[in-house]
């Protein structure tokens, strides 16, 4: 009996020590995780909102120097809100945080993917309501996290007209988005959610003029991630989001490097 | 005896299960880690290399709309190589990777800080040689990692003339950097190092004209991180680096969001 007690005490102590000694690098580089880039690249084809400055190289030096060595350096112009980017709360709230104010504790957080692409079913008029989400958000743990909604739109990113749903009038837009109902529900019932992402150009549906979803989310202190690249399989929970905007101090928004660190799928059992 | 064997088998199995079940989010959000931003913000005072386009807002909309709601959006111009930024291998090697080509496996890696600030001792003429590093690099594990050298220069970032060591001629520069010897040593003896960072404006010392360190590092496939913000205590090993450049597809460099995730210091024993 005494031997058993000693052995179990040793067991408990070993497990406790192990849990303390498992470091972040041990877990992260164990081979069990993969890095998934949720960022569209910046180039001539990057989608911007109509009327906004597109990503453009304004100067390019690319040449062979006198000593035969290579030297290349460029300069660029861009609107804050194009490609995969972040909207700071200040975008729609005068007293809201600039990009540079958002604390890292809101930018490195668990990631929940809400895949509604089969419900949206390629319909540019699709609007997400609360009843679509009845079965979702099961993985909300109560700690700070972000939600990214997948409408299945990243496959159109290469075709700006289709992606934005630009009308014959060359002015109107049409793509899926969130309803006011969903924005209000999240900001009142899920106060641990610090940011909302979408794989379309706006959290508001493309056809609306009054950007009510932006306003509701800004007023609640959330940031948005728009034009998220979701073109491959990704677990709906268990990933960690790295939300890394260019640190524009007084930015209303900024180009965003968005990466998910996800557990690798387990091999099938044979 | 049989009981002991069973208990030890149970012990081994429990430990193995525990190690598998400790998820990244469990460890990362356990309260044992902190996030340290190694990024200077982009604003009017951000340090750029002489002659390069500084970070500038080219358009600012910030006003109250007809419906009394707030709307703000901006556009900006900047050189790729200013503020806290990344140099892609293509900067000095025609066949090198663009920013957009660098795989995430080289951008999320263990971080080793090499603090030589007490040796540099505020001397703008300081050049780092191999003999300064005899006692260093103990934490090199052989897996992909980055090294960031701390010369103690971030405290001058607010004063561009002092930070760059701009001479009376308004042309010459003077700040610490790496020697050719150190660049060759790292790229030949530590092939697991994928990137080099410095808390000054260049990996080459400010006074040199021929940027040999840049060339050696580019040719070996390494990226550089320049103007890293190192103005607070940070562990020299055990941190994870998030090296998150703006994803400029054909970038020779890019604004960089650089964050370290570090184990929190243990409270002192009383």
């Amino acid at each position: 009996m005494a031997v058993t007690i000693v052995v179990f005490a040793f067991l408990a102590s070993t497990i406790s020590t192990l849990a303390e000694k498992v470091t972040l690098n041990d877990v992260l580089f164990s081979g069990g995780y993969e890095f998934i880039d949720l960022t569209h690249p910046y180039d001539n084809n990057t989608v911007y909102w109509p009327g906004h400055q597109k990503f453009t190289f304004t100067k390019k030096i690319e040449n062979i120097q006198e000593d035969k060595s290579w030297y290349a350096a460029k300069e660029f112009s861009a609107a804050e809100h194009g490609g995969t980017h972040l909207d700071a709360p200040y975008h729609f709230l005068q007293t809201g945080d600039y990009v540079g104010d958002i604390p890292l504790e809101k930018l490195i957080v668990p990631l929940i993917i809400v895949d509604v692409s089969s419900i949206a079913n390629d319909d540019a008029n699709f609007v997400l309501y609360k009843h679509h989400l009845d079965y979702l958000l099961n993985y909300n743990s109560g700690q700070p996290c972000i939600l990214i909604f997948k409408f299945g739109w990243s496959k159109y990113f290469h075709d700006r007209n289709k992606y934005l749903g630009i009308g014959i009038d060359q002015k109107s837009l049409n793509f899926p988005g969130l309803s006011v109902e969903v924005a209000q529900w999240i900001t009142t019932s899920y106060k641990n959610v610090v940011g909302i992402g979408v794989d379309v150009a706006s959290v508001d549906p493309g056809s609306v003029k009054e950007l009510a979803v932006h306003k509701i989310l800004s007023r609640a202190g959330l940031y948005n991630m728009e034009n998220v690249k979701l073109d491959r399989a990704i677990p709906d929970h268990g990933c960690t989001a790295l939300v890394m905007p260019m640190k524009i101090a007084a930015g209303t928004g900024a180009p965003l490097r968005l990466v998910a660190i996800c557990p690798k799928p387990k091999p099938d059992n044979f």
Side-chain angles (χ1 to χ4, degrees), chain A:
Chain A
M1 185 64 183
V3 170
T4 309
I5 289 170
V6 168
V7 168
F8 273 98
F10 174 69
L11 169 75
S13 141
T14 305
I15 289 176
S16 157
T17 307
L18 182 73
E20 269 184 27
K21 287 202 170 163
V22 174
T23 71
L24 179 63
N25 284 340
D26 289 342
V27 175
L28 189 50
F29 304 111
S30 63
Y33 289 84
E34 63 182 328
F35 307 137
I36 304 178
D37 202 338
L38 306 182
T39 318
H40 292 292
Y42 283 96
D43 57 28
N44 289 338
N45 300 316
T46 306
V47 174
Y48 279 77
W49 201 257
H52 282 216
Q53 169 68 52
K54 296 178 74 169
F55 177 86
T56 311
F57 284 121
T58 48
K59 186 173 179 181
K60 290 186 192 183
I61 300 173
E62 291 181 292
N63 54 34
I64 294 165
Q65 309 292 297
E66 280 179 24
D67 69 352
K68 310 289 181 202
S69 70
W70 176 257
Y71 176 76
K74 301 179 187 176
E75 299 178 353
F76 66 97
S77 286
E80 292 171 329
H81 300 269
T84 304
H85 72 279
L86 181 135
D87 289 351
Y90 179 75
H91 188 30
F92 277 87
L93 180 71
Q94 191 169 7
T95 55
D97 275 354
Y98 288 129
V99 174
D101 296 331
I102 303 173
L104 291 176
E105 287 67 26
K106 289 188 175 181
L107 299 175
I108 302 171
V109 285
L111 166 63
I112 298 173
I113 300 279
V114 184
D115 184 352
V116 294
S117 58
S118 63
I119 312 173
N121 195 27
D122 285 336
D123 177 4
N125 292 303
F126 178 78
V127 176
L128 186 73
Y129 288 95
K130 191 178 159 190
H131 73 266
H132 294 119
L133 299 174
D134 282 348
Y135 68 100
L136 292 167
L137 303 182
N138 288 334
Y139 304 114
N140 179 41
S141 66
Q143 65 180 321
C145 73
I146 60 171
L147 303 182
I148 297 185
F149 293 93
K150 178 176 180 172
F151 292 103
W153 236 245
S154 289
K155 60 181 177 287
Y156 302 131
F157 192 79
H158 67 284
D159 178 350
R160 184 171 182 272
N161 280 348
K162 172 74 180 170
Y163 185 78
L164 294 178
I166 295 177
I168 300 169
D169 59 3
Q170 292 295 312
K171 287 185 181 174
S172 60
L173 304 179
N174 202 26
F175 53 79
L178 307 183
S179 62
V180 165
E181 177 190 77
V182 162
Q184 285 173 336
W185 179 51
I186 292 171
T187 53
T188 53
S189 302
Y190 294 93
K191 289 183 185 294
N192 62 305
V193 175
V194 297
I196 297 288
V198 288
D199 62 346
V200 285
S202 171
V203 288
D204 279 282
S207 60
V208 304
K209 297 290 177 204
E210 211 262 321
L211 303 175
V213 171
H214 273 90
K215 293 173 190 172
I216 293 166
L217 297 176
S218 284
R219 284 174 194 153
L222 277 70
Y223 59 80
N224 306 322
M225 294 152 286
E226 293 169 330
N227 299 319
V228 172
K229 180 168 166 270
L230 283 176
D231 55 5
R232 52 157 288 187
I234 178 170
D236 57 3
H237 71 292
C239 300
T240 309
L242 309 176
V243 180
M244 297 281 118
M246 180 179 166
K247 195 175 176 177
I248 303 178
T252 75
L256 172 65
R257 193 65 183 262
L258 180 62
V259 171
I261 306 179
C262 299
K264 281 185 185 167
K266 297 257 187 281
D268 289 341
N269 293 323
F270 292 101

